Amino acid sequence: MATTFHSPILLDSKLGAAFLGNLVAGIFYGITCVQAYMYFIKNSRKDEPWFKGIIFFLWLLDTVHLAFITHGLYVYMVSNFGNLAALAAPPWSLLAQIYVTCISDAIVRCIFGRRVWLMTRRNYFLVICIALTSTCTFVTGVAFATRAFSLKEFKHFSKISYFLYTSLGSGVAADLLIAGSLCFSLSQRKTGFKKTDSLVTVLIMYTINTSLLTTICSAACFITYTIWPNEFTFIGIYFSLSKLFLNSLLATLNGRDSLSGKLGGVSNVSQLSNMDSDFSFKPSQSRRGPSVLVSIDRQVVKDYEMESTHKGLAI
């Protein structure tokens, strides 16, 4: 007669949450691989070799990250099957994946931070704020993982919970600063003319779409850890954080051709030989009024298209 095993521990919010998080992370990794393939095959021709190297390194980190979290769950669910005492301590790989996440997220935030630097015409205050919050996220995340190795068991992690709160909180702040800065900077470029404003609106929506999921994921990690610090719910969500960041970056890079098409829909493109010249919208004759001159920093459009050649846009 079969017997039913009743666990004194609610596994749904522990192994169940971690398993689902690993499953979702695996799906995102598949999307990452497809996006990385598309980038290197079709969309990286005009990028510098060092930048391609960074993207490849991020993909390698993402691969290692998935291997670490899968190993951690294997230890729990296979090597220690039925051994509930094993849930008291995290495997080394679950703590090591925090290092990988911190490194990957820091690199991606640096790339997005550079975009803010260019889009805001080198606004030192905004860039310093983003750099400080991003550095705080990285340092406190690494500190949490390092201290967790020495504490060994989850029950002792409450002693260092402030590291995790600070890391997740500053991460949310950094993401909001990046998205908010880009959207605000773009909104300031509206001129009241339909064609120009439609271009700006496209760029704003593009920025929001590539920042929204990462911000929500960071906030979800923070909230779930605050509400259920002894469960694995926040861990399951945290598994996907670095993959969302990388997918966001790759989506931006792979969407450059589509974005260029939208730009081309409202502009004529001409080649400039001067590497230090600015993008400018040249005056055009209108039947209903005088010509309009709208100047946009060369670096802004270059950063969105990430092209090695410099072009002039004229409406």
Side-chain angles (χ1 to χ4, degrees):
M1 182 176 182
T3 59
T4 303
F5 173 74
H6 296 283
S7 170
I9 300 176
L10 187 61
L11 296 179
D12 289 341
S13 59
K14 291 190 180 295
L15 288 182
F19 172 77
L20 291 176
N22 188 29
L23 182 63
V24 173
I27 294 173
F28 280 130
Y29 176 73
I31 298 173
T32 299
C33 289
V34 172
Q35 292 219 68
Y37 175 81
M38 292 174 59
Y39 170 74
F40 284 109
I41 297 299
K42 297 181 179 180
N43 302 310
S44 65
R45 294 185 299 275
K46 297 179 181 179
D47 291 339
E48 298 293 336
W50 64 266
F51 187 79
K52 296 178 186 178
I54 290 176
I55 300 301
F56 181 72
F57 178 66
L58 287 171
W59 176 81
L60 284 179
L61 286 178
D62 204 46
T63 303
V64 172
H65 178 265
L66 182 64
F68 278 168
I69 62 178
T70 302
H71 173 268
L73 289 180
Y74 186 91
V75 171
Y76 279 141
M77 304 174 73
V78 179
S79 300
N80 288 284
F81 178 75
N83 179 16
L84 297 180
L87 294 175
W92 67 267
S93 51
L94 286 188
L95 296 179
Q97 62 92 18
I98 299 177
Y99 292 117
V100 178
T101 297
C102 290
I103 295 172
S104 177
D105 291 356
I107 294 173
V108 174
R109 284 194 177 101
C110 283
I111 295 174
F112 283 133
R114 173 182 174 271
R115 176 168 297 171
V116 172
W117 168 254
L118 299 175
M119 289 285 292
T120 59
R121 302 180 186 274
R122 296 166 176 78
N123 187 312
Y124 284 95
F125 177 76
L126 280 176
V127 173
I128 289 174
C129 288
I130 293 171
L132 288 176
T133 52
S134 299
T135 302
C136 182
T137 301
F138 174 79
V139 171
T140 52
V142 170
F144 177 84
T146 303
R147 291 282 288 121
F149 269 111
S150 62
L151 294 176
K152 300 184 182 301
E153 295 185 350
F154 284 114
K155 65 181 181 181
H156 300 307
F157 286 6
S158 59
K159 300 176 182 177
I160 57 172
S161 60
Y162 58 91
F163 280 132
L164 192 56
Y165 285 128
T166 304
S167 180
L168 295 175
S170 58
V172 172
D175 297 339
L176 289 176
L177 278 172
I178 291 172
S181 300
L182 291 174
C183 290
F184 179 77
S185 176
L186 287 167
S187 68
Q188 296 301 300
R189 287 171 167 78
K190 288 192 174 182
T191 63
F193 291 89
K194 184 176 180 180
K195 286 186 176 181
T196 306
D197 288 355
S198 65
L199 166 61
V200 172
T201 301
V202 167
L203 295 179
I204 290 175
M205 295 304 299
Y206 199 73
T207 299
I208 292 174
N209 288 336
T210 55
S211 304
L212 183 61
L213 284 178
T214 55
T215 304
I216 291 176
C217 186
S218 297
C221 287
F222 183 90
I223 293 170
T224 52
Y225 182 71
T226 302
I227 299 174
W228 304 295
N230 297 319
E231 306 296 348
F232 287 5
T233 306
F234 79 95
I235 296 177
I237 298 174
Y238 189 78
F239 285 165
S240 298
L241 185 58
S242 63
K243 299 185 183 330
L244 282 173
F245 269 107
L246 182 53
N247 269 295
S248 175
L249 174 61
L250 289 172
T252 302
L253 298 176
N254 289 330
R256 288 175 296 180
D257 288 342
S258 174
L259 181 60
S260 296
K262 294 185 188 323
L263 291 170
V266 297
S267 60
N268 298 318
V269 181
S270 61
Q271 185 72 32
L272 292 179
S273 59
N274 186 355
M275 298 293 286
D276 296 322
S277 62
D278 289 342
F279 274 99
S280 62
F281 288 90
K282 297 180 180 179
S284 60
Q285 298 300 324
S286 173
R287 296 179 181 178
R288 297 185 178 180
S291 60
V292 179
L293 178 64
V294 182
S295 179
I296 290 184
D297 185 0
R298 171 183 56 84
Q299 295 285 357
V300 171
V301 180
K302 178 190 173 187
D303 192 58
Y304 265 94
E305 293 184 319
M306 291 291 291
E307 293 181 358
S308 58
T309 59
H310 298 265
K311 301 177 180 180
L313 300 179
I315 292 181

